[in-house]
C-alpha cells in the first residue's frame, strides 16, 4: 500500500482538506515542541547554575503560553480529522447504497451480509485511518525536520545520531508493511466469511434446532473462530514485528544520544542547557514516526476494507445501454418471440425459445413445472434481465419497440408487478401499498386492500421483510400495491400461491377486473382455479 | 458498567493470559519512564564533570532501557490479542447457543438488519474491552502509581503534582469526555441499525422499488439516515479532541509547577540538580504512557452499549426452558393427541383455541384452515419451540406413556419429530451438506435416493457438481419449488417418526403437487404424518382425518 490511498483521497473533499489543514497545524506544533524543549532545558539549567528560582518567572510565563498553544493545536487537529472521516464515510456510504441498489436491480449483487458488514463495521475500520493515521503521517513528515534542524544548532553529534537512525524507521516500515498488507486482506476476508457464516446459522436456527443440529452448529462457530484466532495471531506476529523494530530503533537512538551527550558533558565540550535540550529533542524527532508505525496496522485494516468497498463501487456497471426509446402510444400488446435466457451453472436456458403474445384486456397465463423460466420471462418483460436470444417487445398501434430499448422510467411507469417473493418494508400496511402511488388517498389504499382481499387495517405496523405476515398476506399486500397503480400492464408472479380458496377467488376476481378495464395481464399460475380465468394459457416447457 | 463487568467476566477463562499481559505492559511502560529518568540524571551529573566511571551504571542502564521497551511491548501485545480472541470464541459460542434456545420461539428479539450488527460487529468489537481498555488501563495505572511513589521519595511536592495531573488527565478528563460522548453513542447506535436495516430493505426490494419508481425516493431517505448518522458523529468530534487537549495542558502544566517547586527545594538544599531534572522530566514520560487512556475512554460508551445489548440477549427468558427432569421420548411408533389446546407465540395473543384431535401412530391427518389462522404455530408447538398456552399437545407411545414436547429431552424429541417448514431455510453450502443436517452419517446413495423421492432426481443430474454443488445465500440458486422439495428430502432423511409438513404444495403446480403428495405419503408410510395446508381439496382424499381449524373451510365443490 502507498502511504495515502489515492482512491480515498478522491472519495471526498474531506481528505485533501485534512491534509492541507494538517500540514499547517503540524508545522505550528513542531515549532511549539522545539520551544517547549528549549524553555524547559533553559529553565532547569538556569535553576541549577544559579542555585535557585532567580530569573525563572519570564521563562515560566512563556512556558504557559506554549503549553496552551500546543493544547489548542492538538484539539484543532483531532477535530478536523474526525470531521474529515465523517464526511468521507458519509460519501462512501451513499455511493455504496446507490451501487448496491443498481446491482440488485440488475441481479448481479453480492451477498447481502457482505454489504451490511461493509456499510457498518467495515466502514468504521476506516475511522482510525483518518483520525489517527493521516494526522500522524502529516506530523511525521513535518515535525522531525524541524526538530533535527534545532538539534544541529544544539549538538552536531546528537543530530547525526538521530539523522542516521531515523531513515531506518520508514525503511523497515515499508519492508515489514509489505508482508502485513496481504495478510491483512486475508484477515478481512476471513472476518467477512465468518460474519456470513454467523448470519446463515442464526437465520436457519429454527431449521437447525428442528433437526437437533443447533448445538453442533454453535460448536462449529466456536471452531471457526478458533481457526480465525490461529491465522490472525500468525498475521499479528508479523504485523507487530514492524512496531518492535520501530520502537527498538527509536528508543535505542534516544539512549545513544543520552550516553553521547553525557560523555561530551564530562569532557566539557558541551554546556548543561545544550545537553538537556538534546535529550529532550531526540525522542521528539522519532516519536511521530514511531506513532505512525503504531497506527500502521490499524490503517492497513481500513485500507483492506476500502479495497472491498472499491471492488463493489468500481466493478463493471450493470448493462444499461442507450435505452431511451419512448413507449409507443396506445393499448400495449406484449410480444415474446423465441426468448431464451441462459443461467450460470445450468445446462439448459430457462426459458428456452418461449413465444407468446399478451394482449390488452386479456389475462394471459404462463404455466409449467417449476424451474422452466416463467419468473425469468417476467423479469425480461420488466426489463431487469436481458435475453440471451430472442426478443421481448411492446407492440401498439403506434409502433413496436424492444423492452430493452425503452426508456427505463417511462416503461416502469406502465407496469404493476407482483413478485414471487414480494418485498415488504418495515412500516405500516398502508405505507407498503402506497409504494406504487405515493399520492394515493386513504380511501384508495383501503379500496386496493379490499380488492386484494387483505383484511388488515392500513395502520397495522409490519416488520422488515414482512416476517410477521403469512406468505399469503405478503402476496395479497403486493397485489393491493399492484391494483392501486392502475397500470396498463400487470405482471403477476403466482399471486394466489399460499392463499385459501376464498381469498384466491377474491384475488382472481380483481385480476379479471383489471383486464376488463383494459390492462394487459400476464400471470404466472399453476392452479386450475387461476388458469380458469385466463383468456389464454401458455405452456412453458 | 454492570453489563461491561458481565462481559468481562465471560472471559474469565483467559484471566492468566490477561494478568501476564498487564505485567508485561506495565514493565514496558516503566522502561520508557526509567529511560527518561536515568537520561536526565546522567546529563545533570555529567555536567558536574565527575570521573566517567561514576557514570557507568547510569550509562549501561540507559542502553538497557533503550532495548527493553520494544521487546516487552511486542510480547505483551501478542498475549493481549491472543487472550482477546479466545474470549471472543467463548462469547460467540454463548451467543449462538442463546440463539438456538430463543430464536425459534422469539423471532422478534432478533431484528433483521440489527441481527447482523449484533452478531458480527458488536461481538467482534467487544474484543477491544480486553485489548484497548483492560490491559493498557491496568498497565498505565501501575506505572502511574509507581512513578508517584518514586517522585514522592525525591520531593513530596513533585509526587503530589504528578498525582494530581495524572488523575486529571487519566481519570477526570476521560470520564467527562465519556459523559459527553455517551449521549452521542447512545443516539448513534439506533441510527446505525436503522441505516443498515434500510439499506438491506433497499437491496431486497430494489427491483420492485425500481418498477414503482420508488428507488430514488428510498435512496434519498437513506441519504437522510446517513446525514443523521454523520451529524451525530460530527457532534462528538469536538469532545474527543477536547480530551486530548486537556491531557496536553495537564502534562505541560505539571512540568511547569514541578520546575517552580523544585527550584525552591534546590535553593533550600533539599534537592540536588540531578534530582531536579528527574522531578521535572519524568512526569512528561509518565503522561505519555497515560495518554493511551484518552482514546480508550472515548470508546467506552460504545463498548458499554454493545455490552448491554449482548447481555440483553444473554438474559432473555427462554420460552421453553430445559425441563428439570426431561422425559425421553419413547422409541417406537408415536401417536399425537391434542386436548383443549390453545396455541400462540410468546408475548402475543392466542391464535388457535380449544383444539382437540387424535392422530394414531402411523396415521395421517391434515390440519386445514384459511391463511393466517396460525396453523404453523401447531408445528412450532409440536417441535417444542413454544409451549402450549393452555391444554396439552402430547406424543403418545404404544404403552400409553405421553410426553409434551416442551417437557421432552431435546435430543430424543428431535429424533422423534421431523418438520418441513413453509419457507425452508437453505444454507449457503453444498446440496449434500444441506441434506446431511437431517442425518450426518447418510451415504451419498441415501441422499440421491431422497432427492429422487421428492422428484429432484433430474434437477440433481443437471447440477454442475452434483451433490457438491453450492447453493447460494437463502438458496438463491434454487427456484421456490426446488427449495421446498429439498426441504422435504431433508425430512425424509431424518427418520423421524412423527412428521409435520407445513404447506407442502406451495410453489408447485397442481399436477406436480398431486404426484408429490402421493410420493411423500408413500415414502412416509408407517410414520405419523400431520400435513398443515389450506388446500383441503388436495389433501382430504389422501388422509384419514381432516381437522378444520377455521370457520371458513374451503368447500371441495370449488374444484374446477
Amino acid at each position: 500500500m502507498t502511504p495515502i490511498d489515492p482512491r480515498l483521497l478522491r472519495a471526498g473533499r474531506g481528505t485533501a482538506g485534512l491534509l492541507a489543514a494538517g500540514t499547517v497545524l503540524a508545522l505550528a506544533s513542531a515549532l511549539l515542541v522545539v520551544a517547549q524543549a528549549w524553555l524547559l532545558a533553559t529553565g532547569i539549567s538556569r535553576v541549577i547554575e544559579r542555585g535557585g528560582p532567580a530569573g525563572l518567572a519570564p521563562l515560566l510565563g512563556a512556558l504557559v503560553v506554549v503549553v496552551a498553544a500546543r493544547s489548542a493545536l492538538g484539539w484543532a487537529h483531532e477535530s478536523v480529522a474526525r470531521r474529515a472521516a465523517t464526511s468521507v464515510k458519509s460519501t462512501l456510504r451513499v455511493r455504496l447504497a446507490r451501487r448496491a441498489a443498481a446491482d440488485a436491480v440488475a441481479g448481479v449483487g453480492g451477498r447481502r451480509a457482505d454489504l451490511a458488514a461493509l456499510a457498518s463495521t467495515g466502514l468504521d475500520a476506516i475511522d482510525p485511518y483518518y483520525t489517527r493515521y493521516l494526522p500522524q503521517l502529516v506530523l511525521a513528515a513535518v515535525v522531525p525536520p524541524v526538530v533535527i534542524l534545532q538539534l544541529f544548532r544544539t549538538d552536531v553529534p546528537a543530530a547525526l545520531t538521530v539523522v542516521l537512525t531515523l531513515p531506518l524507521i520508514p525503511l523497515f516500515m515499508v519492508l515489514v508493511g509489505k508482508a502485513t498488507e496481504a495478510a491483512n486482506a486475508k484477515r478481512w476476508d476471513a472476518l467477512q466469511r465468518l460474519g456470513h457464516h454467523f448470519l446463515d446459522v442464526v437465520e436457519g436456527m429454527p431449521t437447525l434446532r428442528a433437526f437437533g443440529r443447533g448445538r453442533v452448529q454453535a460448536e462449529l462457530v466456536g471452531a471457526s473462530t478458533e481457526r480465525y484466532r490461529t491465522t490472525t495471531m500468525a498475521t499479528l506476529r508479523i504485523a507487530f514485528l514492524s512496531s518492535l523494530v520501530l520502537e527498538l530503533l527509536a528508543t535505542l537512538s534516544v539512549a545513544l544520544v543520552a550516553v553521547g551527550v553525557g560523555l561530551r558533558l564530562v569532557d566539557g565540550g558541551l554546556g548543561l542547557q545544550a545537553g538537556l535540550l538534546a535529550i529532550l529533542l531526540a525522542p521528539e524527532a522519532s516519536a511521530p514516526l514511531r506513532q505512525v508505525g503504531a497506527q500502521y496496522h490499524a490503517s492497513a485494516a481500513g485500507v483492506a476494507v476500502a479495497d472491498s468497498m472499491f471492488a463493489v463501487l468500481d466493478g463493471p456497471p450493470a448493462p444499461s445501454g442507450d435505452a431511451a426509446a419512448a413507449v409507443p402510444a396506445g393499448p400495449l400488446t406484449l410480444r415474446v418471440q423465441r426468448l431464451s435466457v441462459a443461467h450460470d451453472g445450468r445446462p439448459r436456458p430457462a426459458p428456452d425459445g418461449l413465444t407468446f403474445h399478451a394482449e390488452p384486456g386479456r389475462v394471459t397465463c404462463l404455466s409449467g413445472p417449476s424451474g422452466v423460466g416463467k419468473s425469468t420471462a417476467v423479469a425480461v418483460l420488466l426489463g431487469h434481465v436481458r435475453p440471451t436470444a430472442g426478443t421481448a417487445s411492446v407492440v401498439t398501434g403506434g409502433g413496436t419497440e424492444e423492452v430493452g430499448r425503452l426508456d427505463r422510467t417511462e416503461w416502469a411507469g406502465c407496469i404493476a408487478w407482483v413478485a414471487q417473493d414480494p418485498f415488504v418494508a418495515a412500516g405500516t400496511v398502508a405505507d407498503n401499498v402506497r409504494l406504487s402511488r405515493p399520492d394515493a388517498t386513504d380511501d384508495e389504499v383501503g379500496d386496493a386492500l379490499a380488492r386484494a382481499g387483505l383484511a388488515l387495517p392500513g395502520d397495522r405496523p409490519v416488520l422488515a421483510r414482512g416476517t410477521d405476515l403469512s406468505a399469503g398476506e405478503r402476496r395479497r399486500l403486493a397485489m393491493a400495491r399492484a391494483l392501486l397503480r392502475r397500470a396498463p400492464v400487470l405482471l403477476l408472479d403466482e399471486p394466489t400461491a399460499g392463499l385459501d380458496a376464498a381469498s384466491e377467488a377474491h384475488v382472481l376476481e380483481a385480476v379479471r377486473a383489471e383486464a376488463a378495464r383494459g390492462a394487459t395481464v400476464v400471470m404466472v399460475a399453476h392452479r386450475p382455479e387461476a388458469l380458469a380465468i385466463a383468456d389464454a394459457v401458455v405452456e412453458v416447457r | 458498567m454492570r453489563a461491561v463487568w458481565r462481559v468481562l467476566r465471560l472471559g474469565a477463562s483467559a484471566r492468566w493470559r490477561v494478568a501476564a499481559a498487564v505485567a508485561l505492559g506495565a514493565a514496558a511502560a516503566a522502561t520508557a519512564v526509567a529511560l527518561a529518568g536515568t537520561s536526565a540524571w546522567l546529563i545533570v551529573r555529567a555536567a558536574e564533570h565527575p570521573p566517567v566511571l561514576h557514570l557507568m551504571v547510569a550509562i549501561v542502564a540507559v542502553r538497557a532501557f533503550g532495548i527493553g521497551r520494544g521487546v516487552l511491548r511486542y510480547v505483551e501485545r501478542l498475549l493481549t490479542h491472543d487472550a482477546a480472541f479466545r474470549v471472543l470464541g467463548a462469547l460467540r459460542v454463548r451467543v449462538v447457543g442463546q440463539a438456538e434456545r430463543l430464536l425459534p420461539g422469539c423471532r422478534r428479539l432478533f431484528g433483521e438488519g440489527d441481527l447482523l450488527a449484533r452478531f458480527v460487529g458488536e461481538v467482534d468489537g467487544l474484543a477491544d474491552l480486553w485489548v484497548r481498555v483492560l490491559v493498557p488501563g491496568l498497565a498505565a495505572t501501575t506505572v502511574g502509581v509507581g512513578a508517584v511513589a518514586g517522585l514522592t521519595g525525591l520531593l513530596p511536592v513533585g509526587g503530589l503534582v504528578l498525582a494530581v495531573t495524572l488523575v486529571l488527565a487519566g481519570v477526570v478528563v476521560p470520564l467527562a469526555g465519556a459523559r459527553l460522548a455517551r449521549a452521542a453513542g447512545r443516539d448513534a447506535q439506533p441510527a446505525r441499525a436503522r441505516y443498515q436495516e434500510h439499506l438491506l430493505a433497499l437491496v431486497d426490494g430494489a427491483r420492485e422499488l425500481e418498477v414503482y419508481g420508488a428507488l430514488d425516493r428510498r435512496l434519498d431517505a437513506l441519504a437522510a439516515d446517513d446525514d443523521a448518522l454523520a451529524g451525530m458523529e460530527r457532534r462528538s468530534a469536538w469532545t474527543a479532541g477536547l480530551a486530548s487537549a486537556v491531557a496536553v495542558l495537564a502534562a505541560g502544566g505539571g512540568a511547569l509547577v514541578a520546575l517552580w517547586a523544585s527550584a525552591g527545594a534546590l535553593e533550600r538544599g533539599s534537592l540536588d540538580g540531578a534530582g531536579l531534572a528527574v522531578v521535572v522530566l519524568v512526569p512528561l514520560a509518565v503522561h505519555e504512557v497515560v495518554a493511551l487512556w484518552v482514546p480508550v475512554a472515548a470508546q467506552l460508551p460504545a463498548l458499554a452499549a454493545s455490552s448491554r445489548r449482548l447481555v440483553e440477549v444473554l438474559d432473555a427468558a427462554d420460552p421453553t426452558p430445559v425441563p428439570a427432569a426431561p422425559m425421553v421420548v419413547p422409541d417406537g411408533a408415536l401417536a399425537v393427541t391434542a386436548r383443549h389446546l390453545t396455541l400462540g407465540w410468546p408475548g402475543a395473543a392466542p391464535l388457535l383455541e380449544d383444539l382437540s384431535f387424535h392422530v394414531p401412530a402411523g396415521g395421517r391427518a391434515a390440519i386445514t384452515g384459511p391463511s393466517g389462522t396460525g396453523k404453523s404455530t401447531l408445528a412450532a408447538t409440536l417441535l417444542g419451540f413454544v409451549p402450549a398456552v393452555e391444554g396439552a399437545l402430547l406424543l403418545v407411545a404404544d404403552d400409553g406413556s405421553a410426553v409434551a414436547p416442551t417437557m421432552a429431552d431435546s435430543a430424543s424429541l428431535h429424533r422423534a419429530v421431523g418438520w418441513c417448514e413453509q419457507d425452508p431455510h437453505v444454507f449457503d453450502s453444498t446440496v449434500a451438506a444441506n441434506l446431511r443436517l437431517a442425518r450426518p452419517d447418510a451415504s451419498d446413495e441415501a441422499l440421491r435416493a431422497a432427492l429422487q423421492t421428492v422428484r429432484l432426481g433430474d434437477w440433481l443430474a443437471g447440477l454442475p457438481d452434483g451433490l457438491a454443488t453450492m447453493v447460494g445465500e437463502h438458496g438463491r440458486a434454487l427456484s421456490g419449488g426446488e427449495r421446498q422439495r429439498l426441504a422435504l428430502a431433508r425430512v425424509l432423511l431424518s427418520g423421524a417418526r412423527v412428521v409435520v409438513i407445513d404447506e407442502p404444495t406451495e410453489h408447485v403446480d397442481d399436477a406436480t403437487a398431486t404426484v408429490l403428495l402421493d410420493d411423500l405419503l408413500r415414502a412416509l408410510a408407517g410414520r405419523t404424518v400431520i400435513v398443515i395446508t389450506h388446500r383441503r381439496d388436495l389433501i382430504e382424499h389422501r388422509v384419514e382425518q381432516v381437522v378444520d381449524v377455521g370457520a371458513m373451510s374451503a368447500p371441495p365443490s370449488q374444484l374446477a
Side-chain angles (χ1 to χ4, degrees), chain B residues 114-290:
Chain B
D114 203 27
L115 178 142
L116 185 76
R118 182 175 294 173
F119 279 78
V120 184
E122 301 201 0
V123 174
D124 276 359
L126 283 173
D128 281 353
L129 267 182
W130 283 267
V131 179
R132 304 180 64 96
V133 179
L134 195 64
V135 171
L138 287 179
T141 308
T142 310
V143 171
V145 169
V148 167
L151 281 197
T152 306
L154 275 175
L155 180 70
V157 184
L160 184 69
V161 169
L162 178 60
V164 169
T165 56
L166 280 182
V167 168
L168 188 67
V171 181
V172 175
V173 169
L175 279 183
R179 189 170 287 249
L180 278 171
R182 191 173 302 153
R186 245 202 310 265
D187 292 351
Q189 282 297 345
R192 178 172 298 223
R194 195 167 52 239
Y195 174 83
Q196 206 173 43
E197 193 159 321
H198 287 175
L199 177 64
L200 288 180
L202 184 76
V203 174
D204 284 340
R207 287 186 161 185
E208 277 156 287
L209 292 168
E210 195 254 1
V211 166
Y212 288 128
L215 198 57
D216 286 330
R217 242 185 301 137
R218 285 276 167 155
L219 278 167
D220 289 344
L222 195 69
D225 287 345
D226 183 76
D227 281 346
L229 199 57
M232 277 172 200
E233 285 175 13
R234 265 189 215 109
R235 274 195 289 285
S236 68
W238 71 274
T239 54
L242 208 61
S244 57
V246 176
V248 169
L249 271 185
L256 207 139
V257 176
L259 179 57
W260 177 255
S262 54
L266 188 93
E267 194 171 38
R268 287 191 302 276
S270 58
L271 191 69
D272 64 1
L276 177 138
V278 169
V279 170
V280 177
L281 297 184
V282 159
L284 288 176
V286 180
H287 271 284
E288 262 176 43
V289 171
V290 171

Side-chain angles (χ1 to χ4, degrees), chain A residues 31-207:
Chain A
L31 295 172
L32 289 172
V33 162
V34 171
Q36 181 176 321
W38 188 87
L39 287 169
L40 278 174
T42 312
I44 292 171
S45 60
R46 193 175 288 179
V47 169
I48 291 174
E49 279 154 11
R50 298 184 185 177
L56 196 59
L59 287 177
L60 288 181
L63 208 50
V64 168
V65 174
V66 167
V67 167
R70 277 192 74 182
S71 153
L73 280 182
W75 171 73
H77 206 167
E78 196 162 333
S79 300
V80 170
R82 292 253 160 167
R83 283 170 167 273
T86 302
S87 101
V88 168
K89 278 200 296 184
S90 172
T91 310
L92 287 176
R93 269 197 301 256
V94 169
R95 281 179 59 191
L96 195 64
R98 283 193 184 279
R99 183 56 200 253
D103 282 354
V105 169
V108 297
R111 296 161 161 172
R112 55 199 287 283
D114 291 353
L115 183 71
L118 261 185
S120 63
T121 45
L123 258 182
D124 283 346
I126 295 182
D127 264 344
Y129 180 85
Y130 279 93
T131 56
R132 297 163 203 272
Y133 175 72
L134 277 188
Q136 202 56 55
L137 193 68
V138 173
L139 285 172
V142 174
V143 173
V146 175
V147 168
I148 287 171
L149 218 61
Q150 176 60 39
L151 256 182
F152 267 109
R153 294 175 54 196
T154 308
D155 179 33
V156 174
L160 285 176
T161 313
V162 172
V163 165
L164 286 178
T165 48
L166 216 55
L168 292 177
I169 294 180
L171 180 72
F172 272 90
M173 223 151 69
V174 171
L175 284 179
V176 186
K178 285 229 182 293
T180 326
E181 186 186 354
N184 257 314
K186 248 187 269 165
R187 194 154 66 98
W188 171 247
D189 197 44
L191 183 66
Q192 278 203 317
R193 260 184 286 123
L194 214 56
H196 176 63
H197 179 54
F198 251 133
L199 185 68
D200 202 28
V201 165
V202 174
E203 281 188 334
M205 193 47 92
T207 310

